[in-house]
């Protein structure tokens, strides 16, 4: 079930949202240690108790950040993929300082310029990264979710260029249906749910 093989330089993030405890345990037993969640409360339920037992766990927040949850986010997660607006960058930076936990962060890019999607407009990337760094955030890369029902390739290609333009070496992109394409365009972190776990249980 967890037999996905990827190039050595690519990190597999197993997206465990909406999965059962049984399947999550099976993933741990299969040796997976990097997991992605998009909701804080569910992530706490899945992982809070496991953190002390599996000391090499790496938890990635891949979903929207709410300002009233940042303290919980900084306490639980090890990496944040969804820094997507100035207000949240400010609150996150403050919280990381308070907890003295300086987590690596990805800036989420609204690569399709979709009005309903969160993320920084591609044209604003450089200025936003500078703003985040001024606040003290450790920006390591860019993340995106390309528009659904479109060929993802041109979006992955734009993300690769955007990362190059900003001297960032890490790219979080690619999901179950398009991770191979994403890797071809330089993804270093793929976020895979259904392809690993089967259909979501809940
Ligand atoms: C759910 C989710 C994934 C995983 O999606 P699959 O299609 O099941 O692989 C990846 N990234 C984000 C941001 C998600 O919310």
């Amino acid at each position: 079930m967890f037999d996905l093989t990827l190039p050595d330089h690519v990190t597999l993030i197993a997206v465990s949202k909406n999965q059962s405890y049984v399947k999550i345990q099976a993933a741990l037993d299969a040796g997976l240690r990097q997991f992605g969640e998009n909701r804080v409360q569910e992530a706490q339920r899945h992982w809070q108790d496991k953190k002390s037992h599996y000391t090499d766990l790496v938890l990635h927040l891949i979903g929207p950040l709410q300002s009233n949850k940042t303290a919980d986010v900084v306490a639980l997660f090890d990496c944040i993929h969804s820094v997507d607006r100035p207000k949240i960058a400010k609150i996150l930076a403050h919280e990381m300082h308070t907890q003295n936990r300086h987590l690596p962060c990805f800036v989420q890019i609204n690569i399709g310029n979709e009005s309903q999607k969160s993320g920084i407009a591609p044209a604003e990337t450089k200025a936003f990264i500078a703003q985040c760094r001024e606040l003290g955030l450790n920006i390591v890369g860019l993340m995106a979710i390309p528009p659904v029902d479109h060929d993802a390739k041109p979006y992955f290609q734009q993300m690769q260029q955007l990362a190059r333009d900003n001297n960032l070496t890490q790219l979080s992109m690619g999901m179950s249906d398009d991770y191979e394409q994403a890797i071809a365009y330089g993804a270093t972190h793929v976020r895979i749910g259904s392809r690993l776990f089967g259909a979501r249980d809940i």
Side-chain angles (χ1 to χ4, degrees):
M1 191 169 191
F2 302 104
D3 58 349
L4 205 74
T5 44
L6 299 173
D8 283 345
H9 71 280
V10 177
T11 298
L12 171 63
I13 299 173
V15 177
S16 47
K17 67 180 186 200
N18 298 335
Q19 298 294 347
S20 65
Y21 289 95
V22 172
K23 282 188 183 168
I24 289 174
Q25 190 57 52
L28 286 164
D29 293 345
L32 297 189
R33 289 296 181 270
Q34 307 228 14
F35 292 89
E37 293 278 355
N38 68 345
R39 290 203 306 269
V40 178
Q41 273 177 317
E42 185 186 15
Q44 288 172 325
R45 262 191 283 121
H46 282 165
W47 298 108
Q48 198 90 275
D49 295 344
K50 292 218 161 55
K51 277 193 94 168
S52 54
H53 188 71
Y54 296 93
T55 52
D56 51 351
L57 264 186
V58 181
L59 300 179
H60 300 260
L61 178 69
I62 61 172
L65 269 158
Q66 291 165 279
S67 47
N68 61 345
K69 298 269 175 62
T70 47
D72 292 338
V73 163
V74 171
L76 179 69
F77 286 93
D78 303 292
C79 182
I80 297 174
H81 291 240
S82 47
V83 182
D84 63 355
R85 57 195 192 278
K87 181 187 165 197
I88 214 74
K90 212 171 275 179
I91 299 172
L92 258 185
H94 182 260
E95 193 56 45
M96 288 188 194
H97 182 75
T98 303
Q99 296 189 30
N100 196 23
R101 269 177 66 76
H102 299 279
L103 313 180
C105 294
F106 290 76
V107 169
Q108 184 170 351
I109 305 297
N110 186 357
I111 195 64
N113 283 304
E114 296 172 282
S115 57
Q116 80 282 12
K117 256 200 200 144
S118 53
I120 299 296
E124 304 293 326
T125 306
K126 200 172 278 283
F128 184 68
I129 292 171
Q131 195 179 351
C132 287
R133 287 186 169 150
E134 210 157 290
L135 291 165
L137 288 180
N138 177 20
I139 303 296
V140 298
L142 303 178
M143 177 272 213
I145 308 165
V148 287
D149 300 328
H150 281 254
D151 181 8
K153 269 188 230 154
Y155 299 106
F156 290 151
Q157 193 167 19
Q158 286 175 50
M159 286 295 293
Q160 183 173 42
Q161 190 58 49
L162 212 48
R164 278 189 189 137
D165 292 346
N166 288 284
N167 294 314
L168 292 169
T169 53
Q170 303 193 43
L171 265 177
S172 168
M173 58 187 194
M175 311 186 358
S176 290
D177 293 336
D178 56 17
Y179 69 92
E180 282 162 321
Q181 286 176 9
I183 291 169
Y185 287 101
T188 57
H189 295 67
V190 292
R191 311 177 307 264
I192 301 185
S194 42
R195 168 70 179 73
L196 277 177
F197 288 96
R200 284 183 261 282
D201 290 327
I202 311 160

